[in-house]
Amino acid sequence: MDCASLDAGLRLLTRRPGLRLSVNMSARSLADAAWRRVLDRWLADHADAAPRLILEMTEASAMLLPEITVRFMAEMQPKGVAFALDDFGAGAIALTHMKDFLFDLVKVDRRFGRTLDASADDQVVVAALLSIARQFEMFTVVQGIESVAAADAARDLAADCLQGFHVGVPRLSP
């Protein structure tokens, strides 16, 4: 699945020069020779497009193979590839690894965004997660924003970006 989604995403980036695209992956992809061949071949042929590629993995996946993930990020970032950490705050990441990972952006877990306007506890957690991300100079996205009130609460906490049904519904074509 990771190999097929990477291939489809890279083909789309090649066809649309103005597009910046995030492609989901797992840490297990790093050990998949076929996945790596697809990425390496595309980077060799389209080095100028690498800054438009964001590879996104969940917190749980990043923690499966943290040392390998860190090495891969260090190899890819000089080529312009960016990295996103999805489900930040879901509980799997060891904060001691945050300084080693080279994530460019974090997406705060949607379960906090859904109740952000009504839960003081969630506001404290999101504020802490955003603070950690800012400390490491990461762009921040709060997911699960499904109402004006939740959007306002996320803006009050100075999130860089919002994601959720309030902002836009998922669809197959832009």
Side-chain angles (χ1 to χ4, degrees):
M1 183 61 87
D2 283 358
C3 199
S5 67
L6 176 64
D7 185 58
L10 296 178
R11 281 188 279 122
L12 187 59
L13 277 173
T14 302
R15 287 194 312 268
R16 294 194 176 169
L19 181 67
R20 186 151 196 218
L21 184 67
S22 182
V23 176
N24 286 1
M25 63 169 287
S26 68
R28 289 188 177 124
S29 300
L30 303 178
D32 182 348
W35 185 89
R36 188 59 194 258
R37 275 193 304 275
V38 169
L39 179 63
D40 289 342
R41 186 176 29 228
W42 183 81
L43 287 171
D45 294 342
H46 305 282
D48 59 320
R52 297 186 293 116
L53 174 62
I54 302 168
L55 294 176
E56 182 173 330
M57 69 180 69
T58 64
E59 212 179 274
S61 180
M63 288 309 299
L64 284 176
L65 303 165
E67 294 81 13
I68 292 171
T69 301
V70 167
R71 279 197 307 271
F72 176 72
M73 294 169 116
E75 178 187 346
M76 291 293 121
Q77 280 191 326
K79 297 177 182 188
V81 177
F83 290 90
L85 178 64
D86 197 10
D87 300 338
F88 187 44
I93 202 154
L95 292 177
T96 57
H97 285 290
M98 283 304 289
K99 64 182 175 51
D100 299 325
F101 284 122
L102 301 172
F103 288 105
D104 300 283
L105 67 104
V106 295
K107 296 170 73 175
V108 174
D109 190 71
R110 71 182 53 78
R111 72 182 120 175
F112 299 115
R114 285 189 183 126
T115 58
L116 194 55
D117 57 307
S119 171
D121 290 343
D122 287 349
Q123 291 169 13
V124 169
V125 170
V126 170
L129 293 171
L130 296 178
S131 177
I132 290 166
R134 284 187 204 103
Q135 175 62 34
F136 295 104
E137 300 177 353
M138 298 175 194
F139 187 83
T140 59
V141 178
V142 177
Q143 301 180 97
I145 301 299
E146 298 181 4
S147 68
V148 171
D152 289 344
R155 281 191 208 101
D156 289 347
L157 294 171
D160 293 316
C161 197
L162 311 177
Q163 180 180 336
F165 288 124
H166 173 69
V167 179
V169 297
R171 55 186 176 194
L172 293 175
S173 61

